[in-house]
Amino acid sequence: MQVRDDADILKDIAVLQLRDKAFNELVKKYQGRLYWHIRKITVSHDDANDVMQNTFIKIWKNIDSFHGESKLYTWLYRIATNESITFLNSKKRFVHPNIDEVNNDMIARLESDSYFDGNEAQLKLQQAILRLPDKQRIVFNMRYFDEISYEDMSEILETSVGALKASFHHAVKKVEEFVKNN
Amino acid sequence: MKNMEELINITPFDKGNPFRVPENYFEEFPDKIMERIHETKIKDVKPGYFLRKFLYPAAAVAAIIVFTLFVINYGNENLNVNDLAENQTDTADAASSFVKENYIIEAITIDEKDTIEGDDIINYLVDDNINENLIADAF
């Protein structure tokens, strides 16, 4: 099936009779990108799946408020990122009030995750990334793995380009240090 | 960019995705999410349904009860809806209206019968230092 432009899909979403079908098309088009973005933040598949569902429900409820001021994909990423951060914060609040415990828990889960089959080097990199503060981790993943431009990241994270560059720089330094020492 | 190059130089791994998903996850996800959205739509509709089903009839019944009590209450004082409307729109001419004078007199009479006792009259006269001579003088 041919993948249609965002504008065509959005046009159909605005028509009540075509809304469900067009939204389904939007889910199919963006589910992969959003899932991997969320998965790198939440680490486990089960958590990523929960956040994915919340993300698309939020997108469904708010799609009428998207008027094309930004790119659709940056708008979708912003919702996915916010939902992921909300998820992490609620986990910290109710499960592990100590941030180190959250990170240690995520590292332990990664090591025993049946849906993680990276080699030793990839595991080491993920361990290093999971030791970063949340915001730096998100910036690192978006820049390093997804290769999203700073300008788009700035729209998604509502942070200045300068601050994002600084954040990425610090993240890289920390990752390098961990990889060298372990 | 320099940072990324440095990182690639010191780490012997590619940027391939080390994570996996359960089989058919992406094939099944769109239908699952549409199902959940459909459930959400039903939930969102529920308050409206509740209003139509229970709240509006309850409000109608309450309005009927209030109206009935209102009519009964004024009916006891020989007032009907027309009298009330007339009173409201024609207050300035109330004193000159024979019908309304009758109502006023009747209302005062009922009030006096209902509320003023002999002791009240005596107390009033004592409090205001009015004796029988003063009353006799007045007439």
Side-chain angles (χ1 to χ4, degrees):
Chain A
M1 196 181 110
Q2 195 191 346
V3 180
R4 292 198 297 161
D5 286 345
D6 291 344
D8 292 336
I9 297 173
L10 288 171
K11 211 183 284 174
D12 283 1
I13 285 175
V15 180
L16 197 63
Q17 292 88 340
L18 304 174
R19 197 177 177 87
D20 282 10
K21 195 169 171 249
F23 191 79
N24 190 289
E25 207 178 329
L26 184 121
V27 174
K28 282 180 182 162
K29 186 174 178 181
Y30 284 103
Q31 61 173 347
R33 293 179 79 173
L34 294 185
Y35 174 85
W36 293 119
H37 174 62
I38 293 166
R39 177 76 184 268
K40 285 188 205 99
I41 300 170
T42 59
V43 178
S44 92
H45 166 73
D46 289 340
D47 291 344
N49 183 43
D50 287 347
V51 175
M52 267 283 273
Q53 293 194 26
N54 294 341
T55 298
F56 274 105
I57 285 170
K58 197 156 254 182
I59 292 168
W60 166 268
K61 285 181 175 172
N62 294 286
I63 194 78
D64 292 331
S65 67
F66 176 77
H67 300 300
E69 295 92 352
S70 59
K71 292 174 198 159
L72 179 63
Y73 106 90
T74 60
W75 186 73
L76 300 176
Y77 257 74
R78 193 187 310 159
I79 294 173
T81 307
N82 289 341
E83 283 299 310
S84 305
I85 291 169
T86 303
F87 171 82
L88 290 182
N89 288 342
S90 67
K91 206 168 183 181
K92 278 170 205 163
R93 207 171 302 132
F94 298 112
V95 186
H96 298 290
N98 184 336
I99 188 164
D100 291 335
E101 278 182 44
V102 180
N103 292 349
N104 290 339
D105 177 58
M106 284 171 106
I107 291 164
R109 286 172 75 177
L110 176 71
E111 286 164 357
S112 61
D113 191 346
S114 57
Y115 294 117
F116 180 83
D117 57 5
N119 56 32
E120 206 179 316
Q122 284 171 324
L123 179 63
K124 195 186 280 185
L125 176 64
Q126 287 301 322
Q127 287 171 335
I129 295 168
L130 285 172
R131 282 177 167 78
L132 298 172
D134 290 345
K135 189 77 183 279
Q136 271 182 30
R137 190 152 62 88
I138 291 167
V139 172
F140 183 87
N141 283 331
M142 289 172 87
R143 186 76 194 113
Y144 184 70
F145 290 107
D146 301 342
E147 298 182 2
I148 295 174
S149 70
Y150 281 115
E151 286 70 28
D152 285 354
M153 272 168 68
S154 173
E155 261 184 40
I156 294 163
L157 301 174
E158 293 173 316
T159 308
S160 72
V161 169
L164 291 170
K165 283 181 178 173
S167 189
F168 183 70
H169 174 77
H170 288 302
V172 168
K173 286 284 168 208
K174 286 178 191 172
V175 170
E176 278 176 351
E177 208 174 301
F178 180 86
V179 171
K180 270 182 191 168
N181 297 332
N182 291 273
Chain B
M1 274 304 167
K2 187 170 170 276
N3 284 330
M4 281 179 73
E5 283 159 18
E6 281 171 2
L7 185 68
I8 290 161
N9 289 336
I10 61 153
T11 50
F13 49 79
D14 59 55
K15 287 204 285 182
N17 188 355
F19 295 101
R20 284 191 302 113
V21 288
E23 214 174 331
N24 297 326
Y25 177 72
F26 289 121
E27 286 76 18
E28 291 165 5
F29 183 78
D31 289 340
K32 277 185 186 165
I33 197 68
M34 291 314 292
E35 215 169 279
R36 265 203 71 186
I37 284 168
H38 186 66
E39 284 168 17
T40 314
K41 274 199 260 181
I42 292 167
K43 273 183 198 165
D44 288 347
V45 167
K46 264 185 181 169
Y49 173 76
F50 176 77
L51 277 178
R52 280 198 305 276
K53 183 87 178 173
F54 302 107
L55 225 55
Y56 292 158
V61 169
I64 290 166
I65 291 169
V66 168
F67 180 75
T68 310
L69 287 173
F70 179 80
V71 169
I72 290 168
N73 196 29
Y74 279 90
N76 284 345
E77 294 178 24
N78 295 327
L79 280 173
N80 58 34
V81 177
N82 290 334
D83 294 326
L84 186 70
E86 202 177 328
N87 269 332
Q88 282 177 339
T89 54
D90 201 20
T91 314
D93 298 324
S96 63
S97 163
F98 175 74
V99 177
K100 289 185 187 67
E101 274 176 8
N102 278 353
Y103 282 136
I104 293 164
I105 291 161
E106 199 174 310
I108 291 167
T109 313
I110 290 165
D111 278 346
E112 282 173 350
K113 272 183 202 161
D114 289 348
T115 58
I116 302 173
E117 302 289 335
D119 287 344
D120 292 330
I121 297 167
I122 290 163
N123 288 337
Y124 168 76
L125 295 173
V126 170
D127 288 342
D128 286 63
N129 203 21
I130 301 168
N131 58 38
E132 63 272 33
N133 295 331
L134 278 172
I135 298 169
D137 289 346
F139 293 97

